[in-house]
Structures are given as structure tokens and as C-alpha cells.
């Protein structure tokens, strides 16, 4: 049981390049999330998926797109990377029912130059 | 709208000393509250959660937190700090069925 996995662990992009961050969970959770973490700003929600086939914008969605490919996988795409998107990105998942805590992946450290 | 505020972005204690990390919440309904810990270069993991069953909540690694409605607080404590407790700690509150919002984090340093 690997939990939540993310690839890649590190990435350097030039301004304007695109890339997709991958996330997968093997816990049969319904909900999945993408956050970004910046120093002194905690975690900010980018996008959220309550179940396969549904996605909703979070607090900071501009410049990002997501795909909930199936129940296991939730990807985050940067179409045209900007230096302001330099951050650490975390994927998380949550089971359904009355359980509200989230389970986090190890993160992707992205630098945009 | 529900929110949390963590008081103090950095806390430093000596090994063996009491750890106290402060979190105040704002909520118009009975809150679900969480403390998460993030060790260097890792994701967040749940330390403990408050779901209204008991006001004193015990978590992993000897941490506990007390829910005080009168003070709108949910402070995290540990009687005796270990070097391995050095990490960043986040308080969070459930804001909807599927979402939580997180505080800005408190970095705990433990001095030998």
C-alpha cells in the first residue's frame, strides 16, 4: 500500500513551457486535491475532485488545469509555466463518509526560471 | 466562513521542554479541527483531529490538543520535546464536506 504517490519529485521549467504533475492513490479514496505550498502561506487549494469525473476550482486555480482520469489518478497541468508558479505542489486524497482528514503525497518541487 | 490562525510562525524550545503551538479558529458551526505535521522534504501527515467527541484529543508521538470553545482555541502541546519533533506544524479546519483550510504553519525548532 503506497498511499499517495507523486511524480516527478523535482522539476525545473523555463517560462512558457508546459508540464503535467501526476498523482495516484491506492486507498480507494473518492476525493482528491491539489495544493501549492509557498513559504509563510500555508497550503492553498488549487483544484479539488469530489469523485471520478468531477472537478472544482479551489482558491488559486488560475494557470492550472486538472484531469481526474479515474478514481486513482488526478493530474495537474501547467500549460504555460510562469515564475510565480515556482512552488511545492502536494496532492492529497480523502475517503468518503464522515472522514475529513486528508492523506498527502510527498510533493513535487517545481522551479520555473 | 471557517478559518484558523496560527500564532507564531517560529517556535524554539530546548530538548525536554514543553511544546506549545497555538491555533485559534473561527467557525459559525461546531468545527472539525486538525493538526498536521510536515517533516523536512515530506508531505503532511495527520497528528490528531477534533470531531466533538472529547475536548482533549491525543495524537501520535505524544502530542495532544485541547478544544476550548470559550477561547476558540485548539492549541497543540507535548510535555517534553524531542529532537525528532523538529518540523512544521499546520492547524486546519473543515470548511465544507470536502474541503479544509490550513493555517500558515509554525516551524518548531528543538535545541539540544
Amino acid at each position: 500500500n503506497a498511499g499517495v504517490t507523486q511524480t516527478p519529485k523535482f522539476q525545473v521549467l523555463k517560462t512558457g513551457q508546459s508540464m503535467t504533475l501526476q498523482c495516484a492513490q491506492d486507498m480507494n479514496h473518492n476525493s482528491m486535491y491539489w495544493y501549492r505550498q509557498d513559504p509563510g502561506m500555508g497550503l492553498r487549494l488549487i483544484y479539488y475532485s469530489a469523485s471520478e469525473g468531477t472537478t472544482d476550482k479551489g482558491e488559486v486555480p488560475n494557470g492550472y488545469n486538472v484531469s481526474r482520469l479515474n478514481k486513482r489518478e488526478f493530474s495537474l497541468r501547467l500549460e504555460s509555466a510562469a515564475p510565480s508558479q515556482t512552488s511545492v505542489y502536494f496532492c492529497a486524497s480523502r475517503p468518503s463518509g464522515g472522514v475529513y482528514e486528508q492523506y498527502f503525497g510527498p510533493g513535487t518541487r517545481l522551479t520555473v526560471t | 466562513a471557517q478559518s484558523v490562525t496560527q500564532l507564531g510562525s517560529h517556535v524554539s524550545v530546548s530538548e525536554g521542554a514543553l511544546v506549545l503551538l497555538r491555533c485559534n479558529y473561527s467557525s459559525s458551526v461546531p468545527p472539525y479541527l486538525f493538526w498536521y505535521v510536515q517533516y523536512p522534504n515530506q508531505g503532511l501527515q495527520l497528528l490528531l483531529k477534533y470531531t466533538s467527541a472529547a475536548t482533549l484529543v491525543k495524537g501520535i508521538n505524544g502530542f495532544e490538543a485541547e478544544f476550548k470553545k470559550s477561547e476558540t482555541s485548539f492549541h497543540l502541546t507535548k510535555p517534553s520535546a524531542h529532537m525528532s519533533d523538529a518540523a512544521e506544524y499546520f492547524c486546519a479546519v473543515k470548511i465544507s464536506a470536502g474541503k479544509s483550510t490550513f493555517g500558515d504553519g509554525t516551524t518548531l525548532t528543538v535545541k539540544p
Side-chain angles (χ1 to χ4, degrees):
Chain A
N1 189 336
V4 180
T5 57
Q6 293 183 236
T7 55
K9 286 187 167 44
F10 301 94
Q11 184 71 47
V12 179
L13 291 177
K14 293 189 188 320
T15 298
Q17 288 185 318
S18 62
M19 79 160 295
T20 299
L21 281 64
Q22 306 286 355
C23 173
Q25 52 89 11
D26 61 1
M27 298 176 283
N28 201 36
H29 288 174
N30 284 330
S31 300
M32 297 186 74
Y33 308 79
W34 276 106
Y35 293 92
R36 59 177 290 171
Q37 183 181 29
D38 302 292
M41 300 184 75
L43 275 73
R44 291 182 291 168
L45 183 64
I46 305 172
Y47 270 94
Y48 159 60
S49 172
S51 61
E52 184 180 348
T54 67
T55 60
D56 284 305
K57 293 179 181 179
E59 192 182 343
V60 288
N62 291 344
Y64 305 96
N65 285 302
V66 290
S67 295
R68 183 73 183 268
L69 305 169
N70 47 55
K71 191 171 186 179
R72 290 188 64 249
E73 297 172 290
F74 188 37
S75 61
L76 178 72
R77 183 159 178 84
L78 287 70
E79 290 291 353
S80 178
S84 60
Q85 296 177 304
T86 293
S87 188
V88 182
Y89 291 85
F90 289 100
C91 179
S93 68
R94 184 185 70 85
S96 58
V99 177
Y100 300 108
E101 62 264 32
Q102 297 175 22
Y103 296 77
F104 286 81
T108 294
R109 194 170 295 271
L110 175 68
T111 301
V112 183
T113 60
Chain B
Q2 290 95 318
S3 65
V4 289
T5 301
Q6 290 183 242
L7 303 174
S9 58
H10 291 87
V11 171
S12 180
V13 301
S14 297
E15 194 172 18
L18 171 71
V19 175
L20 171 60
L21 305 181
R22 300 177 189 271
C23 174
N24 286 91
Y25 70 90
S26 171
S27 178
S28 56
V29 298
Y32 279 66
L33 294 159
F34 310 90
W35 275 101
Y36 290 85
V37 60
Q38 183 182 29
Y39 298 106
N41 300 313
Q42 295 186 26
L44 279 70
Q45 63 184 86
L46 184 71
L47 264 181
L48 50 81
K49 62 181 178 182
Y50 169 75
T51 59
S52 78
T55 56
L56 184 61
V57 182
K58 294 189 185 299
I60 61 172
N61 301 338
F63 283 93
E64 62 182 36
E66 187 172 7
F67 174 75
K68 291 188 177 180
K69 186 177 178 181
S70 60
E71 298 177 9
T72 61
S73 69
F74 190 57
H75 301 333
L76 182 70
T77 60
K78 182 173 180 177
S80 177
H82 295 161
M83 297 296 290
S84 59
D85 294 328
E88 189 161 18
Y89 293 79
F90 293 92
C91 183
V93 64
K94 177 175 84 75
I95 58 173
S96 69
K99 299 178 188 176
S100 295
T101 190
F102 292 79
D104 291 341
T106 297
T107 299
L108 176 66
T109 301
V110 182
K111 299 175 292 187

